[in-house]
Each structure stands twice: as C-alpha cells, then as structure tokens.
C-alpha cells in the first residue's frame, strides 16, 4: 500500500510514521508513506495556497490549483482520495478494514475555514475522526493511518494479532492480568489461574459483555 499526504506541514509525519509498528511496516516494504507539501504546487510565484472567500465572510479558503496540480503530479491509477474535514463521515473500524485493502490512499489535509468546493471533484470520501475540531487534518490522517496499517496482513505479529480487538468483535475487551498474582492487595481472578480454558473463555465473554453494557451500550444495539 502507498499512502500519500497532501499537507502544508510534511514535518509532522516523520516521527509518527518512523516509529513502532508503522515504522516497521515501512521497513518490511509492506507500506510506503509520502508527505507532499502542496505549497510546491501552488502554480503562482508567491506560493499562495489560500484566498478570501467569494461572497465575503471570515476565514480563508484553500485554492483549487495546489491540490489539482499535486494530484496530477502523483499520477495514481485509482486511489482512494480522502478529504479530511469535521463535516465528513465518522471514521470507524469498518472503514479502516475497507481501506486496509486499497493500493493507494491520498489524504488531503487543510488548515482552513474551508476547501474550494471544486476540490471535492477529486475526492472519493470525506472523513472526520470524531465530534471535535482540530487545527488541521494531519493528526486525523495519522490516526487513520495507524488504524489502517495495522490491519494489513503481515504488519502485526501473532502476539499482536487484531482478531480479538474491541470493535472487530463488536464488544469491548475483557480485563487483562499478568504477574504478579497479587499486587498491593489486588488479586488476579481465580478463574484465570486454574487452566480451565472453557471457563476462562466464558469469564472473558461475560466480562466483555458487562463492560460493553456499562461503557458503550450503543455498540450492543448496533449488532
Ligand atoms: Cl478530519 N479535520 C479537522 N480539522 N478536525 C477534525 C477532523 C478532521 N476530524 C475531527 N475533527
């Protein structure tokens, strides 16, 4: 998979994409990351990428030329082109699973009051990562990248497997314990110590259900 970011702040990407599992996926050759500064594609000598809105009003609008020019320079065959904006469709695990099967993904990240409407003709999806406003799309695109890349076959090891993740099972995860068996008076539940795998599975399923009912009843009504 090749992931492209159209951004005015390519330096925001280096650390995150070079670290831990995202960095390892790149080293293994499973994924490549390309942060492109669309200011380099402004097409004007002052490298201007935004302008005042026609009709007046507050805030600046991202001009179409830098985004069209950068897209054309990338020359991708059939990319998913994702416009990062708080008005977009809410990102979720199902969308991450779907996107993890794509060959090319482009994230368009603005820092503006708005995008010139004509940019939307390049876009396949408009996506938000939640009901709050960020200063720009970069952190949202990194969040999505993390959720997507870990689902590509070969990225996670067996120990890191995602088969039992919250949201792919439809339930929140059960509690986990490791050594020591007793810590500051807090004990590991007896059922986890006795080696009866049927009982352990039953306990985990019940705890998952209990946790989901308490914290995210909306997930149960979705099923
Ligand atoms: Cl994708 N962009 C911005 N600017 N804010 C957001 C968002 C995206 N998703 C949630 N808030």
């Amino acid at each position: 998979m090749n992931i492209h970011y159209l951004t005015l702040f390519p330096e925001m990407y280096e650390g995150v994409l070079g670290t831990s599992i995202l960095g390892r996926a790149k080293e293994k050759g499973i994924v490549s990351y390309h942060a492109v500064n669309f200011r380099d594609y402004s097409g004007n000598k002052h490298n201007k990428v935004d302008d005042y809105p026609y009709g007046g009003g507050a805030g600046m609008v991202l001009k179409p030329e830098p985004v069209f020019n950068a897209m054309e320079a990338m020359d991708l065959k059939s990319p998913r082109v994702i416009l990062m904006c708080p008005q977009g469709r809410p990102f979720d695990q199902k969308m991450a699973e779907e996107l993890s099967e794509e060959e090319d993904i482009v994230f368009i990240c603005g820092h503006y009051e708005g995008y010139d409407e004509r940019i939307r003709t390049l876009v396949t999806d408009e996506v938000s990562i939640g009901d709050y406003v960020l200063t720009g799309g970069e952190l949202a695109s990194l969040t999505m990248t993390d959720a997507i890349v870990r689902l590509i076959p070969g990225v996670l090891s067996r120990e890191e497997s995602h088969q039992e993740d919250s949201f792919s099972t439809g339930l929140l995860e059960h509690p986990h314990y490791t050594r020591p068996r007793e810590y500051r008076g807090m004990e590991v539940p007896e059922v986890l110590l006795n080696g009866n795998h049927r009982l352990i599975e039953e306990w985990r399923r019940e705890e998952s259900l209990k946790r989901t009912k308490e914290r995210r009843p909306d997930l149960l009504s979705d099923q």
Side-chain angles (χ1 to χ4, degrees):
M1 175 187 292
N2 309 298
I3 311 182
H4 310 261
Y5 308 91
L6 298 189
T7 173
L8 294 174
F9 303 98
E11 67 277 12
M12 286 180 72
Y13 289 86
E14 281 166 36
V16 174
L17 300 178
T19 303
S20 184
I21 291 168
L22 300 184
R24 205 177 64 204
K26 179 182 67 174
E27 296 308 317
K28 284 187 181 171
I30 298 171
V31 63
S32 70
Y33 308 116
H34 311 271
V36 172
N37 191 335
F38 61 77
R39 195 180 294 284
D40 299 341
Y41 296 90
S42 68
N44 62 72
K45 64 174 183 294
H46 301 294
N47 295 332
K48 215 167 123 67
V49 294
D50 61 343
D51 209 336
Y52 298 99
Y54 273 120
M60 299 292 272
V61 176
L62 179 56
K63 290 162 68 59
E65 301 95 316
V67 180
F68 275 77
N69 292 340
M71 285 293 291
E72 278 162 18
M74 289 192 294
D75 193 28
L76 303 172
K77 210 158 64 212
S78 54
R80 286 292 280 266
V81 181
I82 300 174
L83 190 70
M84 306 306 296
C85 72
Q87 301 84 23
R89 179 152 75 98
F91 182 59
D92 61 13
Q93 189 67 21
K94 190 164 161 289
M95 203 190 306
E97 279 161 18
E98 183 191 312
L99 290 170
S100 73
E101 297 179 2
E102 293 286 343
E103 191 51 36
D104 289 288
I105 302 178
V106 181
F107 291 102
I108 302 175
C109 305
H111 273 246
Y112 293 89
E113 210 55 36
Y115 297 98
D116 183 286
E117 192 63 18
R118 291 163 291 192
I119 290 171
R120 292 196 154 85
T121 62
L122 301 170
V123 164
T124 59
D125 309 79
E126 291 191 34
V127 180
S128 159
I129 61 161
D131 292 341
Y132 40 82
V133 179
L134 302 171
T135 58
E138 285 80 6
L139 292 172
S141 70
L142 285 166
T143 299
M144 287 180 62
T145 297
D146 190 299
I148 293 163
V149 168
R150 66 189 288 284
L151 296 175
I152 303 173
V155 169
L156 295 187
S157 64
R158 205 177 66 80
E159 288 75 24
E160 298 160 337
S161 167
H162 53 77
Q163 302 306 319
E164 292 174 22
D165 285 346
S166 295
F167 304 112
S168 52
T169 60
L171 295 175
L172 300 184
E173 281 197 31
H174 55 76
H176 301 273
Y177 291 89
T178 186
R179 286 182 284 195
R181 188 171 166 157
E182 191 238 294
Y183 184 66
R184 300 194 180 192
M186 297 175 280
E187 302 211 349
V188 175
E190 192 62 38
V191 60
L192 299 177
L193 306 172
N194 66 15
N196 184 329
H197 294 289
R198 199 182 53 78
L199 283 182
I200 291 171
E201 272 321 298
E202 226 167 76
W203 180 85
R204 286 179 169 165
R205 172 92 192 155
E206 276 165 23
E207 291 294 318
S208 272
L209 262 174
K210 194 164 86 190
R211 224 169 231 203
T212 310
K213 270 185 202 146
E214 277 167 17
R215 300 184 186 187
R216 294 293 305 276
D218 57 301
L219 293 178
L220 292 172
S221 48
D222 282 356
Q223 293 207 40

